[in-house]
Protein backbone atom coordinates (compact mmCIF):
# COMPACT_ATOMS: atom_id res chain seq x y z
CA UNK A 1 0.00 0.00 0.00
CA UNK A 2 2.74 2.44 1.02
CA UNK A 3 4.81 1.88 -2.14
CA UNK A 4 1.77 2.09 -4.42
CA UNK A 5 0.89 5.45 -2.84
CA UNK A 6 4.48 6.68 -3.32
CA UNK A 7 4.75 5.37 -6.87
CA UNK A 8 1.55 6.85 -8.34
CA UNK A 9 2.45 10.54 -7.80
CA UNK A 10 5.91 9.89 -9.21
CA UNK A 11 4.47 8.39 -12.38
CA UNK A 12 1.65 10.91 -12.75
CA UNK A 13 3.82 13.98 -12.02
CA UNK A 14 1.35 16.74 -12.81
CA UNK A 15 -0.81 14.84 -15.32
CA UNK A 16 -3.88 13.50 -13.54
CA UNK A 17 -2.32 13.52 -10.09
CA UNK A 18 -5.15 15.65 -8.72
CA UNK A 19 -7.48 12.71 -9.42
CA UNK A 20 -5.32 10.15 -7.59
CA UNK A 21 -6.50 9.07 -4.16
CA UNK A 22 -4.18 7.10 -1.92
CA UNK A 23 -5.18 3.46 -1.76
CA UNK A 24 -6.16 1.91 1.54
CA UNK A 25 -5.18 -1.43 2.98
CA UNK A 26 -8.72 -2.69 2.36
CA UNK A 27 -8.46 -1.76 -1.32
CA UNK A 28 -5.09 -3.51 -1.66
CA UNK A 29 -6.56 -6.63 -0.08
CA UNK A 30 -9.52 -6.33 -2.41
CA UNK A 31 -7.16 -6.78 -5.32
CA UNK A 32 -7.68 -10.43 -4.56
CA UNK A 33 -10.42 -10.02 -7.13
CA UNK A 34 -7.57 -10.76 -9.55
CA UNK A 35 -7.73 -14.34 -8.31
CA UNK A 36 -11.43 -14.47 -9.12
CA UNK A 37 -10.68 -13.04 -12.55
CA UNK A 38 -8.09 -15.75 -13.16
CA UNK A 39 -10.56 -18.48 -12.19
CA UNK A 40 -13.39 -16.90 -14.20
CA UNK A 41 -11.68 -15.28 -17.21
CA UNK A 42 -13.68 -12.92 -19.42
CA UNK A 43 -12.65 -11.36 -22.73
CA UNK A 44 -11.86 -8.00 -21.13
CA UNK A 45 -11.53 -6.64 -17.61
CA UNK A 46 -14.40 -4.18 -18.04
CA UNK A 47 -16.81 -7.09 -18.50
CA UNK A 48 -16.65 -7.86 -14.76
CA UNK A 49 -18.45 -4.54 -14.20
CA UNK A 50 -20.82 -4.92 -17.16
CA UNK A 51 -24.53 -4.24 -16.72
CA UNK A 52 -25.13 -7.46 -18.67
CA UNK A 53 -25.88 -10.15 -16.05
CA UNK A 54 -24.39 -12.84 -18.32
CA UNK A 55 -20.99 -11.15 -18.21
CA UNK A 56 -20.76 -9.28 -14.94
CA UNK A 57 -19.55 -10.53 -11.59
CA UNK A 58 -21.64 -9.15 -8.75
CA UNK A 59 -19.07 -10.18 -6.14
CA UNK A 60 -16.34 -8.14 -7.79
CA UNK A 61 -18.70 -5.20 -8.29
CA UNK A 62 -19.46 -5.17 -4.56
CA UNK A 63 -15.77 -5.06 -3.65
CA UNK A 64 -14.74 -2.06 -5.78
CA UNK A 65 -15.62 0.03 -8.80
CA UNK A 66 -14.04 -0.53 -12.19
CA UNK A 67 -12.23 2.83 -11.99
CA UNK A 68 -10.83 2.02 -8.57
CA UNK A 69 -9.58 -1.36 -9.80
CA UNK A 70 -7.97 0.18 -12.89
CA UNK A 71 -6.28 2.95 -10.91
CA UNK A 72 -4.83 0.63 -8.30
CA UNK A 73 -3.77 -1.91 -10.93
CA UNK A 74 -1.98 0.80 -12.91
CA UNK A 75 0.22 1.82 -10.01
CA UNK A 76 0.41 -1.35 -7.92
CA UNK A 77 3.98 -1.32 -6.66
CA UNK A 78 6.10 -3.27 -4.18
CA UNK A 79 9.57 -1.76 -4.12
CA UNK A 80 10.75 1.57 -2.73
CA UNK A 81 11.88 3.54 -5.79
CA UNK A 82 13.95 5.93 -3.66
CA UNK A 83 16.17 3.02 -2.59
CA UNK A 84 16.25 1.65 -6.12
CA UNK A 85 17.52 5.00 -7.50
CA UNK A 86 20.43 5.11 -5.01
CA UNK A 87 21.81 1.78 -6.12
Amino acid sequence: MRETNHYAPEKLAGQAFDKWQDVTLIEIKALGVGIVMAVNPLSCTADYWSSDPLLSNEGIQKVMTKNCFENISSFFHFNDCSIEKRQ
Side-chain angles (χ1 to χ4, degrees):
M1 174 188 75
R2 180 180 62 231
E3 295 310 324
T4 298
N5 288 331
H6 286 153
Y7 182 70
E10 221 176 85
K11 289 305 270 188
L12 290 171
Q15 298 169 23
F17 178 65
D18 57 324
K19 295 180 182 173
W20 174 259
Q21 292 183 11
D22 281 353
V23 296
T24 66
L25 184 57
I26 292 169
E27 289 169 328
I28 291 293
K29 287 180 178 179
L31 280 176
V33 301
I35 295 169
V36 174
M37 291 174 173
V39 172
N40 179 28
L42 296 177
S43 60
C44 74
T45 304
D47 287 344
Y48 294 95
W49 287 271
S50 172
S51 58
D52 182 342
L54 295 175
L55 290 176
S56 66
N57 184 301
E58 192 176 320
I60 290 175
Q61 292 175 0
K62 286 181 180 179
V63 171
M64 66 175 51
T65 66
K66 178 175 130 325
N67 287 342
C68 182
F69 176 81
E70 289 173 344
N71 285 335
I72 295 171
S73 296
S74 296
F75 301 105
F76 197 57
H77 211 69
F78 290 100
N79 66 312
D80 183 342
C81 291
S82 65
I83 293 171
E84 186 179 283
K85 289 177 186 174
R86 286 186 257 149
Q87 296 176 350

Coordinates of all heavy atoms in Angstrom, one line a residue:
M1 N 0.8 -1.2 0.0 CA 0.0 0.0 0.0 C 0.9 1.2 0.0 O 0.7 2.1 -0.8 CB -0.9 0.0 1.2 CG -1.7 1.2 1.4 SD -2.7 1.2 3.0 CE -1.4 1.6 4.1
R2 N 1.9 1.3 0.9 CA 2.7 2.4 1.0 C 3.5 2.7 -0.3 O 3.5 3.8 -0.8 CB 3.7 2.2 2.2 CG 4.7 3.4 2.4 CD 5.7 3.2 3.5 NE 6.5 2.0 3.2 CZ 6.7 1.0 4.0 NH1 6.1 1.0 5.2 NH2 7.5 0.0 3.7
E3 N 4.0 1.7 -0.9 CA 4.8 1.9 -2.1 C 3.9 2.2 -3.3 O 4.3 3.0 -4.2 CB 5.7 0.6 -2.4 CG 6.7 0.4 -1.4 CD 7.6 1.6 -1.1 OE1 7.9 2.4 -2.0 OE2 7.9 1.8 0.1
T4 N 2.7 1.7 -3.4 CA 1.8 2.1 -4.4 C 1.4 3.6 -4.3 O 1.4 4.3 -5.3 CB 0.5 1.2 -4.3 OG1 0.8 -0.1 -4.5 CG2 -0.5 1.7 -5.4
N5 N 1.2 4.0 -3.1 CA 0.9 5.5 -2.8 C 2.1 6.4 -3.1 O 1.9 7.5 -3.4 CB 0.3 5.7 -1.4 CG -1.0 5.1 -1.3 OD1 -1.8 5.0 -2.3 ND2 -1.4 4.6 -0.1
H6 N 3.3 5.9 -3.0 CA 4.5 6.7 -3.3 C 4.7 6.7 -4.8 O 5.2 7.7 -5.4 CB 5.7 6.1 -2.6 CG 5.8 6.4 -1.2 ND1 6.4 5.6 -0.3 CD2 5.2 7.4 -0.4 CE1 6.3 6.1 0.9 NE2 5.6 7.2 0.9
Y7 N 4.5 5.6 -5.5 CA 4.8 5.4 -6.9 C 3.8 6.2 -7.8 O 4.3 6.8 -8.8 CB 4.7 3.9 -7.2 CG 5.0 3.5 -8.6 CD1 6.3 3.6 -9.1 CD2 4.1 3.0 -9.5 CE1 6.6 3.3 -10.4 CE2 4.4 2.7 -10.8 CZ 5.7 2.8 -11.2 OH 6.0 2.4 -12.5
A8 N 2.5 6.2 -7.5 CA 1.6 6.9 -8.3 C 1.9 8.3 -8.6 O 1.9 8.8 -9.7 CB 0.2 6.7 -7.8
P9 N 2.1 9.1 -7.5 CA 2.4 10.5 -7.8 C 3.7 10.7 -8.6 O 3.8 11.6 -9.5 CB 2.6 11.1 -6.4 CG 2.0 10.2 -5.5 CD 2.0 8.8 -6.1
E10 N 4.7 9.8 -8.4 CA 5.9 9.9 -9.2 C 5.6 9.7 -10.7 O 6.2 10.4 -11.5 CB 6.8 8.8 -8.7 CG 8.3 9.2 -8.6 CD 9.1 8.0 -8.0 OE1 9.5 7.2 -8.8 OE2 9.3 8.0 -6.8
K11 N 4.8 8.7 -11.0 CA 4.5 8.4 -12.4 C 3.5 9.4 -13.0 O 3.6 9.7 -14.2 CB 3.8 7.0 -12.5 CG 4.8 5.9 -12.2 CD 6.0 5.9 -13.1 CE 5.8 5.2 -14.4 NZ 7.0 5.1 -15.2
L12 N 2.6 10.0 -12.2 CA 1.6 10.9 -12.8 C 2.2 12.3 -12.9 O 1.8 13.1 -13.8 CB 0.4 10.9 -11.9 CG -0.5 9.7 -11.9 CD1 -1.5 9.7 -10.8 CD2 -1.1 9.5 -13.3
A13 N 3.1 12.7 -12.0 CA 3.8 14.0 -12.0 C 3.1 15.1 -12.8 O 3.5 15.4 -13.9 CB 5.2 13.8 -12.5
G14 N 2.1 15.6 -12.2 CA 1.4 16.7 -12.8 C 0.2 16.4 -13.8 O -0.7 17.2 -14.0
Q15 N 0.2 15.2 -14.4 CA -0.8 14.8 -15.3 C -2.2 14.8 -14.7 O -2.8 15.8 -14.6 CB -0.5 13.5 -15.9 CG 0.8 13.4 -16.7 CD 1.1 12.0 -17.0 OE1 0.2 11.1 -17.1 NE2 2.3 11.7 -17.3
A16 N -2.6 13.7 -14.2 CA -3.9 13.5 -13.5 C -3.7 13.3 -12.0 O -4.5 12.6 -11.4 CB -4.6 12.3 -14.2
F17 N -2.6 13.8 -11.5 CA -2.3 13.5 -10.1 C -3.4 14.0 -9.2 O -3.7 13.4 -8.2 CB -1.0 14.1 -9.7 CG -0.7 13.9 -8.2 CD1 -0.5 12.6 -7.7 CD2 -0.7 15.0 -7.3 CE1 -0.2 12.4 -6.4 CE2 -0.4 14.8 -6.0 CZ -0.2 13.5 -5.5
D18 N -4.1 15.1 -9.6 CA -5.1 15.7 -8.7 C -6.3 14.7 -8.6 O -7.1 14.8 -7.7 CB -5.6 17.0 -9.3 CG -6.1 16.9 -10.7 OD1 -5.5 16.2 -11.5 OD2 -7.1 17.6 -11.0
K19 N -6.4 13.7 -9.5 CA -7.5 12.7 -9.4 C -7.1 11.5 -8.6 O -7.9 10.7 -8.3 CB -7.9 12.3 -10.8 CG -8.5 13.5 -11.6 CD -8.9 13.0 -13.0 CE -9.5 14.3 -13.7 NZ -9.8 14.0 -15.1
W20 N -5.8 11.3 -8.3 CA -5.3 10.2 -7.6 C -5.7 10.3 -6.1 O -5.6 11.3 -5.5 CB -3.8 10.0 -7.7 CG -3.3 8.9 -6.8 CD1 -2.7 9.1 -5.6 CD2 -3.3 7.5 -7.1 NE1 -2.3 7.8 -5.1 CE2 -2.7 6.9 -6.0 CE3 -3.8 6.8 -8.1 CZ2 -2.6 5.5 -5.9 CZ3 -3.7 5.4 -8.1 CH2 -3.1 4.8 -7.0
Q21 N -6.2 9.2 -5.6 CA -6.5 9.1 -4.2 C -5.7 7.9 -3.6 O -5.7 6.8 -4.2 CB -8.0 8.8 -3.9 CG -8.9 10.0 -4.3 CD -10.3 9.7 -4.0 OE1 -10.7 8.7 -3.3 NE2 -11.2 10.5 -4.5
D22 N -5.0 8.2 -2.5 CA -4.2 7.1 -1.9 C -5.0 5.9 -1.7 O -6.2 6.0 -1.3 CB -3.6 7.5 -0.6 CG -2.3 8.4 -0.8 OD1 -1.9 8.6 -2.0 OD2 -1.8 8.9 0.2
V23 N -4.5 4.7 -2.0 CA -5.2 3.5 -1.8 C -5.1 3.1 -0.3 O -4.2 3.5 0.4 CB -4.6 2.3 -2.6 CG1 -4.8 2.6 -4.1 CG2 -3.2 2.0 -2.3
T24 N -6.1 2.4 0.2 CA -6.2 1.9 1.5 C -5.8 0.4 1.6 O -5.7 -0.3 0.6 CB -7.6 2.1 2.1 OG1 -8.5 1.2 1.4 CG2 -8.1 3.5 2.0
L25 N -5.5 0.0 2.8 CA -5.2 -1.4 3.0 C -6.3 -2.3 2.5 O -6.1 -3.4 1.9 CB -4.8 -1.7 4.4 CG -4.4 -3.1 4.8 CD1 -3.2 -3.5 4.0 CD2 -4.1 -3.2 6.3
I26 N -7.5 -1.9 2.8 CA -8.7 -2.7 2.4 C -8.8 -2.8 0.8 O -9.0 -3.9 0.3 CB -10.0 -2.0 2.9 CG1 -10.1 -2.2 4.4 CG2 -11.3 -2.7 2.2 CD1 -11.2 -1.4 5.1
E27 N -8.4 -1.7 0.1 CA -8.5 -1.8 -1.3 C -7.3 -2.7 -1.9 O -7.6 -3.4 -2.8 CB -8.3 -0.4 -1.9 CG -9.5 0.5 -1.7 CD -9.3 2.0 -2.0 OE1 -8.2 2.5 -1.8 OE2 -10.3 2.6 -2.5
I28 N -6.2 -2.6 -1.2 CA -5.1 -3.5 -1.7 C -5.5 -5.0 -1.5 O -5.3 -5.8 -2.3 CB -3.8 -3.2 -0.9 CG1 -3.2 -1.8 -1.3 CG2 -2.8 -4.3 -1.1 CD1 -2.7 -1.7 -2.8
K29 N -6.1 -5.3 -0.3 CA -6.6 -6.6 -0.1 C -7.6 -7.0 -1.1 O -7.7 -8.2 -1.5 CB -7.1 -6.8 1.3 CG -6.0 -6.8 2.4 CD -6.6 -6.9 3.8 CE -5.5 -7.0 4.8 NZ -6.1 -7.1 6.2
A30 N -8.4 -6.1 -1.5 CA -9.5 -6.3 -2.4 C -9.0 -6.7 -3.8 O -9.7 -7.2 -4.6 CB -10.5 -5.1 -2.5
L31 N -7.7 -6.4 -4.0 CA -7.2 -6.8 -5.3 C -7.1 -8.3 -5.5 O -6.8 -8.8 -6.5 CB -5.8 -6.2 -5.5 CG -5.8 -4.7 -5.9 CD1 -4.4 -4.1 -6.0 CD2 -6.5 -4.5 -7.3
G32 N -7.5 -9.0 -4.4 CA -7.7 -10.4 -4.6 C -8.7 -10.8 -5.6 O -8.8 -11.9 -6.0
V33 N -9.5 -9.8 -6.1 CA -10.4 -10.0 -7.1 C -9.7 -10.5 -8.4 O -10.3 -11.2 -9.2 CB -11.3 -8.8 -7.5 CG1 -12.1 -8.3 -6.3 CG2 -10.5 -7.7 -8.1
G34 N -8.4 -10.2 -8.4 CA -7.6 -10.8 -9.5 C -7.6 -12.3 -9.6 O -7.5 -12.9 -10.6
I35 N -7.7 -12.9 -8.4 CA -7.7 -14.3 -8.3 C -9.0 -14.8 -8.9 O -9.1 -15.8 -9.7 CB -7.6 -14.8 -6.8 CG1 -6.2 -14.5 -6.4 CG2 -7.8 -16.3 -6.7 CD1 -5.9 -14.6 -4.9
V36 N -10.1 -14.1 -8.6 CA -11.4 -14.5 -9.1 C -11.4 -14.3 -10.6 O -11.9 -15.2 -11.4 CB -12.6 -13.6 -8.5 CG1 -13.9 -13.8 -9.2 CG2 -12.7 -13.8 -7.0
M37 N -10.8 -13.3 -11.1 CA -10.7 -13.0 -12.5 C -9.9 -14.2 -13.2 O -10.2 -14.5 -14.4 CB -10.0 -11.7 -12.8 CG -10.9 -10.5 -12.4 SD -10.0 -9.0 -12.7 CE -11.3 -7.8 -12.3
A38 N -8.9 -14.7 -12.6 CA -8.1 -15.8 -13.2 C -8.9 -17.0 -13.2 O -8.8 -17.8 -14.2 CB -6.8 -16.0 -12.3
V39 N -9.7 -17.3 -12.2 CA -10.6 -18.5 -12.2 C -11.7 -18.4 -13.2 O -12.2 -19.4 -13.7 CB -11.1 -18.7 -10.7 CG1 -12.1 -19.9 -10.7 CG2 -9.9 -19.0 -9.8
N40 N -12.2 -17.2 -13.3 CA -13.4 -16.9 -14.2 C -13.0 -15.9 -15.3 O -13.4 -14.7 -15.2 CB -14.6 -16.4 -13.3 CG -15.8 -16.1 -14.2 OD1 -16.0 -16.7 -15.2 ND2 -16.6 -15.1 -13.7
P41 N -12.2 -16.3 -16.2 CA -11.7 -15.3 -17.2 C -12.8 -14.8 -18.2 O -13.6 -15.6 -18.6 CB -10.6 -16.0 -18.0 CG -10.9 -17.5 -17.8 CD -11.6 -17.6 -16.5
L42 N -12.8 -13.5 -18.4 CA -13.7 -12.9 -19.4 C -12.8 -12.3 -20.5 O -11.6 -12.1 -20.3 CB -14.6 -11.9 -18.8 CG -15.6 -12.4 -17.7 CD1 -16.3 -11.2 -17.1 CD2 -16.5 -13.4 -18.3
S43 N -13.4 -11.9 -21.6 CA -12.6 -11.4 -22.7 C -12.0 -10.0 -22.4 O -10.9 -9.7 -23.0 CB -13.5 -11.2 -24.0 OG -14.6 -10.3 -23.7
C44 N -12.5 -9.2 -21.5 CA -11.9 -8.0 -21.1 C -12.2 -7.7 -19.7 O -13.3 -8.1 -19.2 CB -12.2 -6.8 -22.1 SG -13.8 -6.1 -21.9
T45 N -11.4 -7.0 -19.0 CA -11.5 -6.6 -17.6 C -12.8 -5.9 -17.3 O -13.5 -6.2 -16.4 CB -10.3 -5.8 -17.1 OG1 -9.1 -6.6 -17.4 CG2 -10.4 -5.6 -15.6
A46 N -13.2 -5.0 -18.2 CA -14.4 -4.2 -18.0 C -15.7 -5.0 -17.9 O -16.6 -4.6 -17.3 CB -14.5 -3.2 -19.2
D47 N -15.6 -6.2 -18.5 CA -16.8 -7.1 -18.5 C -17.2 -7.5 -17.1 O -18.4 -7.7 -16.8 CB -16.6 -8.4 -19.3 CG -16.6 -8.1 -20.8 OD1 -17.1 -7.0 -21.2 OD2 -16.1 -9.0 -21.6
Y48 N -16.3 -7.5 -16.1 CA -16.6 -7.9 -14.8 C -17.6 -6.8 -14.1 O -18.3 -7.1 -13.2 CB -15.4 -8.0 -13.9 CG -14.6 -9.2 -14.3 CD1 -13.5 -9.0 -15.2 CD2 -14.9 -10.5 -13.9 CE1 -12.7 -10.1 -15.6 CE2 -14.1 -11.6 -14.3 CZ -13.0 -11.4 -15.1 OH -12.3 -12.5 -15.5
W49 N -17.6 -5.6 -14.7 CA -18.4 -4.5 -14.2 C -19.6 -4.2 -15.2 O -20.3 -3.2 -15.1 CB -17.6 -3.3 -13.9 CG -16.8 -3.4 -12.7 CD1 -17.1 -3.1 -11.4 CD2 -15.4 -3.9 -12.7 NE1 -16.1 -3.4 -10.6 CE2 -15.0 -3.9 -11.3 CE3 -14.5 -4.4 -13.6 CZ2 -13.8 -4.3 -10.9 CZ3 -13.3 -4.8 -13.2 CH2 -12.9 -4.7 -11.8
S50 N -19.8 -5.1 -16.1 CA -20.8 -4.9 -17.2 C -22.2 -4.9 -16.5 O -22.5 -5.5 -15.5 CB -20.7 -6.1 -18.2 OG -21.8 -6.0 -19.1
S51 N -23.1 -4.2 -17.2 CA -24.5 -4.2 -16.7 C -25.2 -5.5 -17.2 O -26.3 -5.8 -16.8 CB -25.3 -3.0 -17.2 OG -25.2 -2.9 -18.6
D52 N -24.6 -6.2 -18.1 CA -25.1 -7.5 -18.7 C -24.9 -8.6 -17.6 O -23.8 -8.9 -17.3 CB -24.4 -7.8 -20.0 CG -25.0 -9.1 -20.6 OD1 -25.6 -9.9 -20.0 OD2 -24.7 -9.3 -21.8
P53 N -26.0 -9.1 -17.1 CA -25.9 -10.1 -16.1 C -25.2 -11.4 -16.5 O -24.7 -12.2 -15.7 CB -27.3 -10.4 -15.6 CG -28.2 -9.9 -16.7 CD -27.4 -8.8 -17.4
L54 N -25.1 -11.7 -17.8 CA -24.4 -12.8 -18.3 C -22.9 -12.7 -18.3 O -22.1 -13.6 -18.3 CB -24.8 -13.2 -19.8 CG -26.3 -13.6 -19.9 CD1 -26.7 -13.8 -21.4 CD2 -26.6 -14.9 -19.1
L55 N -22.4 -11.4 -18.2 CA -21.0 -11.2 -18.2 C -20.5 -10.7 -16.8 O -19.4 -11.1 -16.4 CB -20.6 -10.0 -19.2 CG -20.8 -10.3 -20.7 CD1 -20.5 -9.1 -21.5 CD2 -19.8 -11.4 -21.1
S56 N -21.2 -9.9 -16.2 CA -20.8 -9.3 -14.9 C -20.5 -10.3 -13.8 O -20.9 -11.4 -13.8 CB -21.8 -8.2 -14.5 OG -23.0 -8.8 -14.1
N57 N -19.8 -9.8 -12.8 CA -19.6 -10.5 -11.6 C -20.0 -9.7 -10.4 O -19.2 -8.7 -10.1 CB -18.1 -10.9 -11.5 CG -17.8 -11.8 -10.3 OD1 -18.0 -11.4 -9.2 ND2 -17.3 -13.0 -10.6
E58 N -21.1 -10.0 -9.8 CA -21.6 -9.2 -8.7 C -20.7 -9.1 -7.5 O -20.6 -8.0 -6.9 CB -23.0 -9.7 -8.3 CG -23.8 -8.8 -7.4 CD -25.2 -9.3 -7.1 OE1 -25.8 -9.9 -8.0 OE2 -25.6 -9.2 -6.0
G59 N -20.0 -10.2 -7.3 CA -19.1 -10.2 -6.1 C -18.0 -9.2 -6.3 O -17.6 -8.4 -5.4
I60 N -17.4 -9.1 -7.5 CA -16.3 -8.1 -7.8 C -16.9 -6.7 -7.7 O -16.3 -5.8 -7.2 CB -15.7 -8.4 -9.2 CG1 -14.9 -9.7 -9.0 CG2 -14.8 -7.3 -9.6 CD1 -14.3 -10.2 -10.3
Q61 N -18.1 -6.5 -8.3 CA -18.7 -5.2 -8.3 C -18.9 -4.7 -6.9 O -18.9 -3.5 -6.6 CB -20.0 -5.2 -9.1 CG -19.8 -5.4 -10.6 CD -21.1 -5.5 -11.3 OE1 -22.2 -5.5 -10.8 NE2 -21.0 -5.7 -12.6
K62 N -19.2 -5.6 -6.0 CA -19.5 -5.2 -4.6 C -18.2 -4.8 -3.9 O -18.2 -4.0 -2.9 CB -20.1 -6.3 -3.8 CG -21.6 -6.5 -4.1 CD -22.2 -7.6 -3.3 CE -23.7 -7.8 -3.7 NZ -24.3 -8.9 -2.9
V63 N -17.1 -5.3 -4.3 CA -15.8 -5.1 -3.7 C -15.2 -3.7 -4.0 O -14.8 -2.9 -3.2 CB -14.7 -6.2 -4.0 CG1 -13.4 -5.8 -3.5 CG2 -15.2 -7.5 -3.4
M64 N -15.3 -3.4 -5.3 CA -14.7 -2.1 -5.8 C -15.3 -1.7 -7.2 O -15.7 -2.6 -7.9 CB -13.2 -2.0 -5.8 CG -12.5 -2.9 -6.8 SD -10.7 -2.8 -6.8 CE -10.2 -2.9 -5.2
T65 N -15.2 -0.4 -7.5 CA -15.6 0.0 -8.8 C -14.6 -0.3 -9.8 O -13.4 -0.6 -9.5 CB -15.8 1.5 -8.8 OG1 -14.6 2.2 -8.6 CG2 -16.8 2.0 -7.8
K66 N -15.0 -0.3 -11.1 CA -14.0 -0.5 -12.2 C -12.9 0.5 -12.2 O -11.7 0.2 -12.3 CB -14.8 -0.5 -13.5 CG -13.9 -0.7 -14.7 CD -14.8 -0.8 -16.0 CE -14.5 0.0 -17.1 NZ -13.9 1.3 -17.1
N67 N -13.3 1.8 -12.0 CA -12.2 2.8 -12.0 C -11.2 2.6 -10.9 O -10.0 2.8 -11.1 CB -12.9 4.2 -11.9 CG -13.6 4.6 -13.2 OD1 -13.3 4.1 -14.2 ND2 -14.4 5.6 -13.1
C68 N -11.7 2.3 -9.7 CA -10.8 2.0 -8.6 C -9.9 0.9 -8.9 O -8.7 1.0 -8.7 CB -11.7 1.7 -7.3 SG -10.7 1.5 -5.8
F69 N -10.4 -0.2 -9.4 CA -9.6 -1.4 -9.8 C -8.5 -1.0 -10.8 O -7.3 -1.3 -10.7 CB -10.4 -2.5 -10.4 CG -9.6 -3.7 -10.8 CD1 -9.2 -4.6 -9.9 CD2 -9.3 -3.8 -12.2 CE1 -8.4 -5.7 -10.3 CE2 -8.6 -4.9 -12.6 CZ -8.1 -5.8 -11.7
E70 N -8.9 -0.2 -11.8 CA -8.0 0.2 -12.9 C -6.9 1.1 -12.3 O -5.7 1.0 -12.7 CB -8.7 0.8 -14.0 CG -9.5 -0.1 -14.9 CD -10.4 0.5 -15.9 OE1 -10.6 1.7 -15.9 OE2 -10.9 -0.2 -16.8
N71 N -7.3 2.0 -11.5 CA -6.3 3.0 -10.9 C -5.3 2.2 -10.0 O -4.1 2.4 -10.2 CB -7.0 4.0 -10.1 CG -7.6 5.1 -10.9 OD1 -7.2 5.3 -12.1 ND2 -8.6 5.8 -10.4
I72 N -5.7 1.4 -9.2 CA -4.8 0.6 -8.3 C -4.0 -0.3 -9.1 O -2.7 -0.4 -8.9 CB -5.6 -0.2 -7.2 CG1 -6.3 0.8 -6.3 CG2 -4.6 -1.1 -6.4 CD1 -7.3 0.1 -5.3
S73 N -4.5 -1.0 -10.1 CA -3.8 -1.9 -10.9 C -2.7 -1.2 -11.7 O -1.6 -1.7 -11.9 CB -4.7 -2.6 -11.9 OG -5.6 -3.4 -11.2
S74 N -3.0 0.0 -12.1 CA -2.0 0.8 -12.9 C -0.7 1.2 -12.1 O 0.3 1.3 -12.7 CB -2.6 2.1 -13.4 OG -3.6 1.8 -14.3
F75 N -0.9 1.3 -10.8 CA 0.2 1.8 -10.0 C 0.6 0.9 -8.9 O 1.4 1.2 -8.0 CB -0.1 3.2 -9.4 CG -0.4 4.2 -10.5 CD1 -1.7 4.6 -10.8 CD2 0.6 4.7 -11.3 CE1 -2.0 5.5 -11.8 CE2 0.4 5.6 -12.3 CZ -0.9 6.0 -12.6
F76 N 0.1 -0.3 -8.9 CA 0.4 -1.3 -7.9 C 1.9 -1.5 -7.9 O 2.5 -1.8 -8.9 CB -0.3 -2.6 -8.3 CG -0.4 -3.6 -7.1 CD1 -1.0 -3.3 -5.9 CD2 0.1 -4.9 -7.2 CE1 -1.1 -4.1 -4.9 CE2 0.0 -5.8 -6.2 CZ -0.6 -5.4 -5.0
H77 N 2.5 -1.4 -6.7 CA 4.0 -1.3 -6.7 C 4.4 -1.9 -5.3 O 3.8 -1.7 -4.3 CB 4.4 0.1 -6.8 CG 5.7 0.3 -7.4 ND1 6.0 0.1 -8.7 CD2 6.9 0.8 -6.9 CE1 7.2 0.4 -9.0 NE2 7.8 0.8 -7.9
F78 N 5.6 -2.6 -5.4 CA 6.1 -3.3 -4.2 C 7.4 -2.7 -3.7 O 7.7 -2.7 -2.5 CB 6.3 -4.8 -4.4 CG 5.1 -5.5 -4.6 CD1 4.6 -5.9 -5.8 CD2 4.3 -5.9 -3.5 CE1 3.5 -6.6 -6.0 CE2 3.2 -6.6 -3.6 CZ 2.7 -7.0 -4.9
N79 N 8.3 -2.2 -4.6 CA 9.6 -1.8 -4.1 C 9.6 -0.3 -3.9 O 8.8 0.5 -4.5 CB 10.7 -2.2 -5.1 CG 10.5 -1.5 -6.4 OD1 9.4 -1.5 -7.0 ND2 11.6 -1.0 -7.0
D80 N 10.5 0.2 -3.1 CA 10.7 1.6 -2.7 C 11.7 2.2 -3.8 O 12.9 1.9 -3.8 CB 11.4 1.7 -1.3 CG 11.6 3.1 -0.9 OD1 11.5 4.0 -1.7 OD2 11.8 3.3 0.3
C81 N 11.1 3.0 -4.7 CA 11.9 3.5 -5.8 C 13.0 4.4 -5.3 O 14.0 4.6 -6.0 CB 11.0 4.3 -6.7 SG 9.8 3.3 -7.6
S82 N 12.9 5.1 -4.1 CA 13.9 5.9 -3.7 C 15.2 5.1 -3.3 O 16.3 5.6 -3.5 CB 13.5 6.7 -2.4 OG 13.2 5.8 -1.3
I83 N 15.0 3.9 -2.9 CA 16.2 3.0 -2.6 C 16.7 2.5 -3.9 O 17.9 2.4 -4.1 CB 15.8 1.8 -1.7 CG1 15.4 2.4 -0.3 CG2 16.9 0.8 -1.6 CD1 14.8 1.3 0.6
E84 N 15.8 2.2 -4.8 CA 16.2 1.7 -6.1 C 17.1 2.7 -6.9 O 18.1 2.3 -7.5 CB 15.0 1.4 -6.9 CG 15.2 0.7 -8.3 CD 13.9 0.4 -9.0 OE1 13.2 -0.5 -8.6 OE2 13.6 1.2 -9.9
K85 N 16.8 3.9 -6.8 CA 17.5 5.0 -7.5 C 18.9 5.2 -6.9 O 19.8 5.6 -7.7 CB 16.8 6.3 -7.4 CG 15.5 6.3 -8.2 CD 14.7 7.6 -8.1 CE 13.4 7.5 -8.8 NZ 12.6 8.7 -8.6
R86 N 19.1 4.9 -5.6 CA 20.4 5.1 -5.0 C 21.4 4.0 -5.4 O 22.6 4.2 -5.3 CB 20.3 5.1 -3.5 CG 19.7 6.5 -3.0 CD 19.7 6.5 -1.5 NE 18.3 6.2 -1.0 CZ 18.0 5.6 0.1 NH1 18.9 5.2 0.9 NH2 16.8 5.4 0.4
Q87 N 20.9 2.9 -5.8 CA 21.8 1.8 -6.1 C 22.4 1.9 -7.5 O 22.0 2.4 -8.4 CB 21.1 0.5 -5.9 CG 20.6 0.3 -4.5 CD 19.8 -1.0 -4.3 OE1 19.4 -1.6 -5.3 NE2 19.5 -1.3 -3.1

